[in-house]
Amino acid sequence: MKIDVLTLFPEAFTPLQTSIVGRAVDSGILEINLINIRDFSKDKHKKCDDYPFGGGAGMLMTVQPVFDAVNSVYKKGAKIIFPSPVGKTLNVEKVESLSKCEHLIFVCGHYEGIDERFFQLFDVEQISIGDYVLTGGELPSMVIIDSVSRFVEGVITKESLENESFSNGLLEYPQYTRPQEFEGLKVPEVLVSGNHQEVEKWRKQQSLERTEKLRKDLLNNKK
Ligand code: ADE
């Protein structure tokens, strides 16, 4: 999968160089390109923001640098994403469907937003990561990229995807590793019994109990 990220702050994306996403990039499963929108500004001071017509608080991103930056990477079939609190809230279904795209282009907003003509010039999907406002689109872009990457074949094992929270509409069951006893707390007997059927039964039950306790809302839309 190819991911182009258009941002005024490319240095914010160092977390994607580490851990699972970093390894997927190193192994060539993912290609992530960081493009500085400022490099496309035709303003003599490389300015990328201006006051909103009609007045109001803060500055807006101007359309020209973003227009040229998108055109420098856009190829037919690419999906343009603009993280924004006005978008539909991200969920596992959306994440999985984005993972099927071959080319994603993220445009990271800043200041009070972006000139509306950007949305008239391109087919853009706005995606929110929750009902709160962040200072820019860099963190939400990373959240979307991280969650989508996990569904790209070869990034993590199929088994990890199958057993995790939301994969079957429930929260994941509790897990334990060595030592078998710590500070007087023992690993549940069933997990060391070697009886796989009983382990499965226990996990299912734990998933249900946890979901009932922490996210009752999920039980209503269970697959
Ligand atoms: N940009 C600012 N706040 C955001 C949010 N909640 N989700 C996505 N993008 C954003």
Side-chain angles (χ1 to χ4, degrees), residues 42-110:
K42 288 183 176 148
D43 177 82
K44 65 173 184 283
H45 303 296
K46 296 277 169 201
K47 223 165 88 98
C48 292
D49 62 335
D50 216 326
Y51 295 98
F53 283 119
M59 305 288 270
L60 283 183
M61 278 173 80
T62 54
V63 68
Q64 175 275 314
V66 181
F67 178 73
D68 288 339
V70 172
N71 280 330
S72 76
V73 294
Y74 185 83
K75 302 248 160 45
K76 198 165 172 276
K79 184 169 190 62
I80 306 173
I81 297 169
F82 185 79
S84 159
V86 313
K88 268 213 186 134
T89 308
L90 190 67
N91 60 22
V92 73
E93 285 80 25
K94 185 78 216 172
V95 167
E96 196 167 358
S97 90
L98 289 176
S99 75
K100 311 250 158 51
C101 299
E102 273 171 28
H103 185 191
L104 299 176
I105 300 171
F106 286 84
V107 178
C108 303
H110 248 273

